[in-house]
Amino acid sequence: MLTSKITAFDPAWSKKFEKERNLISDAFGDRLVAIYHVGSTAVPGLAAKPEIDMLVEVSNLHRTPEADRFMRSCGHIRGNDLSPEHHYYRKDVAGVRTHKVHVCPIGHLELSRMLYFRDLLRQDVDLREQYQRLKLKLEAENTAGMSEYLAGKSPFIDAVLSAKPDTGE
């Protein structure tokens, strides 16, 4: 699998999200709560790898085999769970990753983390520019592939999220 290069923000990414959301929403049936556009492609003005990140919120993770079959029929392959109750699917076209789908039940920590980070990047121009510089630097220096790139971003993301104000939720 080839990884995409970081490119300038493309307004078409939101249309790609909408199209894929419509394609996969039936996979989760009556368990579906919402499907969110997350990750860098969901942040206007932020350069990103043109891989659409989606976050699916479900009421529960039951009937996973049925969802897996439906997702496969849409071109999504189930990957390893990223944490307990955090399912992951990926879609590649011609050997290039085009979509990543995270599936978590209501109340899962990753729901609030992904949405909060996305919203901060949308609201805070300075933070968005810092994150973009980091991503471009990591891509330029990367010698070991995607895992090295992701590991390089993690401390920044964790630091931003650890500063999240306690809202009592």
Side-chain angles (χ1 to χ4, degrees), residues 24-72:
I24 69 168
S25 62
D26 287 344
F28 308 98
D30 61 358
R31 300 174 300 128
L32 179 64
V33 175
I35 301 177
Y36 306 98
H37 188 185
V38 294
S40 296
T41 62
V43 181
L46 180 60
K49 292 179 181 288
E51 303 168 1
I52 308 302
D53 283 288
M54 304 175 77
L55 176 59
V56 179
E57 183 177 15
V58 293
S59 58
N60 62 65
L61 290 173
H62 301 305
R63 297 196 310 263
T64 297
E66 292 90 344
D68 289 350
R69 278 192 293 280
F70 191 99
M71 291 294 283
R72 257 192 320 276

Side-chain angles (χ1 to χ4, degrees), residues 2-21:
L2 296 173
T3 183
S4 303
K5 292 288 188 189
I6 294 174
T7 63
F9 178 79
D10 184 346
W13 290 339
S14 63
K15 290 177 181 63
K16 290 179 180 183
F17 162 75
E18 294 292 336
K19 181 179 178 184
E20 202 68 19
R21 180 180 68 184

